[in-house]
Amino acid sequence: MSIYSHLQKRDAPPVTLSTLIEMKAAGERIACLTAYDASFGALVDAAGMDLILVGDSLGMVVQGHDTTVPVTVDHMVYHTRCVAAGVGRAFLVADMPFVSYALPEQALKNAARIMQEGRAQMVKLEGGAEQVRTVEFLASRDIPVCAHLGLTPQSIHKLGGFHVQGREESAAREMMADALTLQNAGADIVLLECVPTALGAEITSELSVPVIGIGAGPDVDGQILVLYDIIGVTPGRKPRFARDFMAETGSPLDAVSAYVAAVKDGSYPAPEHCFS
Ligand code: KIV
């Protein structure tokens, strides 16, 4: 039993991948947030989050780097294991870090570590058509996969900065095609980061798997943010899509609960958090 079990909602059944698929079908918005340690894992879980991501954003918000590139598989295993100790209900997803999934066999070995040692229920990896072989390889070996499209922070040195993706028609068509190809290859969730609202809506309506957005507009199946952005401790400039719920509430638990409520009732994201 976890030392956080008193916070866990005993009456609420655990969220599974099937729950998330049913939520998409029912039009119920999926609330998602990052966490990096057991205490916040327990708090975020107790606030009613459906999905918790141990993001490699930990390289920036926990380790203080200016990109996610320095994060290693050992870091992800350690932080995922910490978060898992606090979580009782939410579905737990963890990032595969930079170059840890460049080849399918390497991806399988590292995903297995993140699931067996870290206790994640799904791994997330960044990239489009170039990841199809890896996604197929993982999916055919019972590794649930979330495919991250749009702004992919691990490619920051190629992208040249944190910019909105898919604004040009050709880039939008390519992202749409990638999303469908990754779904057909076995991806169970697609995550879109920093894309125009119209493209977020189009990809969501074309895909049968849940689509989670961060800066992808209101018409996706669920929203995700970085924990530190909603509790007012963002180091440096706050991204456009972030909203500081701590400023509106006053305690971390109330802030995270207010975020869940705002995702569920559709009041987050508002137009000022979206891109055209
Ligand atoms: O690493 C992370 O926290 C993420 C989210 C921003 C989606 O990938």
Side-chain angles (χ1 to χ4, degrees):
M1 191 191 292
S2 140
I3 57 167
Y4 299 100
S5 50
H6 64 290
L7 276 178
Q8 291 165 359
K9 290 188 168 55
R10 286 166 207 286
D11 50 337
V15 177
T16 64
L17 188 50
S18 311
T19 318
L20 302 175
I21 293 164
E22 281 161 21
M23 289 172 79
K24 175 175 177 114
E28 186 188 336
R29 296 183 181 92
I30 302 168
C32 317
L33 192 64
T34 66
Y36 313 99
D37 64 41
S39 297
F40 271 112
L43 183 148
V44 169
D45 193 53
M49 206 63 62
D50 300 308
L51 182 155
I52 297 177
L53 170 70
V54 186
D56 62 352
S57 49
L58 70 86
M60 299 171 79
V61 300
V62 176
Q63 298 174 337
H65 300 296
D66 55 0
T67 74
T68 59
V69 171
V71 178
T72 66
V73 174
D74 284 345
H75 297 155
M76 291 311 306
V77 168
Y78 173 78
H79 284 277
T80 306
R81 178 84 179 218
C82 291
V83 175
V87 172
R89 174 184 170 270
F91 190 66
L92 186 60
V93 183
D95 265 326
M96 300 205 64
F98 182 65
V99 192
S100 68
Y101 49 96
L103 299 169
E105 286 78 5
Q106 175 202 23
L108 180 63
K109 180 168 153 275
N110 289 326
R113 280 199 65 201
I114 291 170
M115 292 183 73
Q116 290 185 309
E117 298 172 43
R119 305 211 185 138
Q121 293 164 295
M122 170 178 277
V123 294
K124 174 163 84 61
L125 50 82
E126 298 182 4
E130 72 280 9
Q131 297 302 347
V132 165
R133 228 161 51 85
T134 298
V135 171
E136 255 166 13
F137 193 76
L138 294 179
S140 66
R141 283 151 184 87
D142 292 332
I143 309 268
V145 178
C146 171
H148 183 152
L149 293 173
L151 174 59
T152 46
Q154 291 172 14
S155 314
I156 198 67
H157 297 307
K158 281 200 92 167
L159 294 173
F162 294 97
H163 306 303
V164 180
Q165 303 293 308
R167 271 192 168 135
E168 305 74 26
E169 190 53 21
S170 60
R173 289 309 105 223
E174 188 178 326
M175 207 185 300
M176 179 76 245
D178 283 355
L180 280 168
T181 312
L182 287 162
Q183 171 183 269
N184 295 339
D188 303 284
I189 294 181
V190 169
L191 186 146
L192 299 177
E193 178 163 354
C194 285
V195 305
T197 292
L199 182 57
E202 189 190 345
I203 293 177
T204 304
S205 73
E206 289 293 319
L207 295 195
S208 55
V209 300
V211 177
I212 308 299
I214 175 165
D219 305 318
V220 289
D221 300 308
Q223 300 291 334
I224 188 162
L225 283 176
V226 169
L227 168 66
Y228 292 12
D229 286 344
I230 75 163
I231 57 167
V233 289
T234 311
R237 200 167 65 87
K238 197 157 61 81
R240 177 188 169 106
F241 49 73
R243 174 170 152 191
D244 181 356
F245 287 86
M246 187 74 156
E248 305 165 23
T249 53
S251 85
L253 182 58
D254 287 347
V256 176
S257 302
Y259 165 69
V260 173
V263 170
K264 297 283 179 190
D265 71 16
S267 54
Y268 174 82
E272 66 267 26
H273 304 119
C274 303
F275 301 104
S276 51

